[in-house]
Amino acid sequence: MRTTFSLAFGALFVLGCGATVDATHGTRPGDRNSARSSPSSSSSSSSSSSHATAGGDHYLGTLSNGAPVCSGGLASDAFAFGLCICGDASFAGDLHVHGQDASTSASAAANGTWSRAGSSTIDGDLVVGGQMSGAGVDHIFGDLDVGADFSQAGVVEVGGDARIAGDALAAGDVTIDGTLTVPDGAQVFGVQSAGVVRADVNVSPPCDCSDTASTHIDIQGLVAQARSVNDDASAGIDPDGFVDAGDVDLTLGAGNFFVEQIAHAGSIDVHATGATALFVGGDIASAGDITVDVDDGATFDLFVGGDIASAGVLHLGSAARADAVRVYIDGDAGLAIAGDETFSGALYLPHGTLASAGDLAVAGAVVAADLAAAGTIDIGFASGLTGGDDQTCTPPSTGR
């Protein structure tokens, strides 16, 4: 059976002087998302490539130091949170970030400020690299980490501890079930907590959004490697890409495949039967629908050096296997979704805005420069995205 993926677009506690609290997120950032109780042209390839896989990981390329980049390890690094905003989180609309089932939670983060006016319910932690302010309503079932001042005129409820690197001021109703840690000299006013701890607080930028050659998530670097070394010949693919007025129907087995661009007036259908990665040097543009379906046990990683633009409907996933499709987009044009849409898969868009003209529902994870939705935003984190290991794959044993 194949799975089709769909997106139609009190007490006082004092630490000794000089104590420092690091608000970090574990050995691997994905530790934030953990168990917690919470309220017509066509081409096909059926043969396997020489890519070795283990533990579900697929070899994608190498870092500048020669270390392998594996699909599962890359996803685990990129999608550390259910929602990560690379800039400031100031988007409107009600937000809910949660696990896909009741046994798991999911966390949210922003590298910049958190200044939303809407209602937010975070079933895990909230990590803010900059200042947190506003007049909204935030329900946080886990911990709260803020890298600058905290100033709220609305309602904030924190089920765990809070660590704030500046002043903690509340004109509204702010309640912290655990302890509040702030630096010496920081002002605390209007905040209810189980106790106050005085210690330096360091909050590093929580979201891994720097997709350059010096980082792990180097989209352009991986695309360039796939341009030179790929499995196109085994699948009969023209690396120049697909540019015409017809439909594209592409079946791919295990391997890395490369095309310069995909530009079609018709529909684009991609069927993955193994551990499949498709690298596109430029843009994907379609006046029709774009569909990706994945066989049981298969995965699909898409790396786009440019942007994705579709006047039709994007079909990229099912909630049942939301961790099987990962999309990495290097362009800065953003991705617009028309109407009330559901995206099933993980989307890495560090330079652009994920926008929806209606309600936005995501089963998987989102990393984006910003969000924009006219309605509500619901993100159900797919826990299968975490736990990958960059040492569980090896490069092809033979040349192509």
Side-chain angles (χ1 to χ4, degrees):
M1 182 184 74
R2 81 170 54 164
T3 301
T4 298
F5 286 64
S6 254
L7 162 71
F9 280 50
L12 178 65
F13 303 96
V14 181
L15 293 178
C17 292
T20 300
V21 174
D22 270 316
T24 57
H25 32 65
T27 304
R28 187 176 288 277
D31 292 346
R32 280 288 188 180
N33 296 308
S34 58
R36 182 195 299 277
S37 299
S38 63
S40 180
S41 57
S42 69
S43 179
S44 66
S45 170
S46 58
S47 61
S48 297
S49 78
S50 54
H51 285 268
T53 60
D57 274 7
H58 170 66
Y59 176 82
L60 299 170
T62 61
L63 297 175
S64 57
N65 63 3
V69 178
C70 309
S71 59
L74 184 66
S76 190
D77 286 347
F79 304 108
F81 297 82
L83 171 65
C84 249
I85 301 299
C86 298
D88 297 330
S90 57
F91 53 92
D94 293 342
L95 169 69
H96 187 195
V97 180
H98 56 92
Q100 281 195 288
D101 58 70
S103 65
T104 60
S105 66
S107 298
N111 282 351
T113 63
W114 187 276
S115 56
R116 289 182 16 79
S119 173
S120 300
T121 301
I122 313 297
D123 284 7
D125 303 332
L126 176 61
V127 184
V128 181
Q131 179 179 351
M132 182 172 177
S133 62
V137 178
D138 295 297
H139 301 281
I140 304 159
F141 286 89
D143 294 341
L144 171 65
D145 295 309
V146 179
D149 292 337
F150 173 95
S151 178
Q152 286 289 131
V155 176
V156 178
E157 297 177 347
V158 180
D161 298 326
R163 293 166 287 270
I164 298 172
D167 295 337
L169 307 176
D173 183 5
V174 176
T175 303
I176 301 166
D177 288 350
T179 59
L180 168 63
T181 300
V182 293
D184 286 333
Q187 300 181 69
V188 178
F189 178 81
V191 178
Q192 303 178 57
S193 69
V196 176
V197 174
R198 293 284 180 174
D200 290 341
V201 175
N202 295 325
V203 180
S204 301
C207 305
D208 192 348
C209 299
S210 179
D211 58 335
T212 66
S214 62
T215 66
H216 185 111
I217 310 169
D218 180 11
I219 298 173
Q220 290 293 348
L222 292 172
V223 168
Q225 291 178 57
R227 179 182 282 112
S228 300
V229 182
N230 55 65
D231 296 300
D232 285 5
S234 68
I237 292 176
D238 181 353
D240 289 338
F242 303 97
V243 182
D244 63 33
D247 296 336
V248 175
D249 187 1
L250 186 63
T251 297
L252 298 173
N256 291 345
F257 306 93
F258 172 84
V259 293
E260 288 291 350
Q261 62 178 321
I262 300 176
H264 264 253
S267 64
I268 300 172
D269 294 281
V270 180
H271 174 210
T273 64
T276 305
L278 177 62
F279 301 81
V280 181
D283 297 334
I284 297 177
S286 173
D289 295 347
I290 300 176
T291 300
V292 174
D293 65 77
V294 179
D295 280 355
D296 288 347
T299 57
F300 182 74
D301 290 279
L302 174 63
F303 297 85
V304 183
D307 293 292
I308 296 179
S310 174
V313 176
L314 289 175
H315 299 279
L316 298 175
S318 74
R321 295 199 60 221
D323 59 340
V325 172
R326 287 83 61 132
V327 179
Y328 303 86
I329 303 173
D330 197 53
D332 56 9
L335 182 61
I337 304 166
D340 297 338
E341 308 291 357
T342 298
F343 174 74
S344 295
L347 177 65
Y348 186 83
L349 184 67
H351 309 302
T353 297
L354 177 61
S356 173
D359 294 338
L360 174 63
V362 176
V366 172
V367 178
D370 200 359
L371 284 183
T376 61
I377 302 169
D378 184 276
I379 299 177
F381 180 73
S383 59
L385 290 166
T386 63
D389 188 339
D390 283 332
Q391 304 307 314
T392 60
C393 69
T394 58
S397 56
T398 60
R400 293 166 168 101

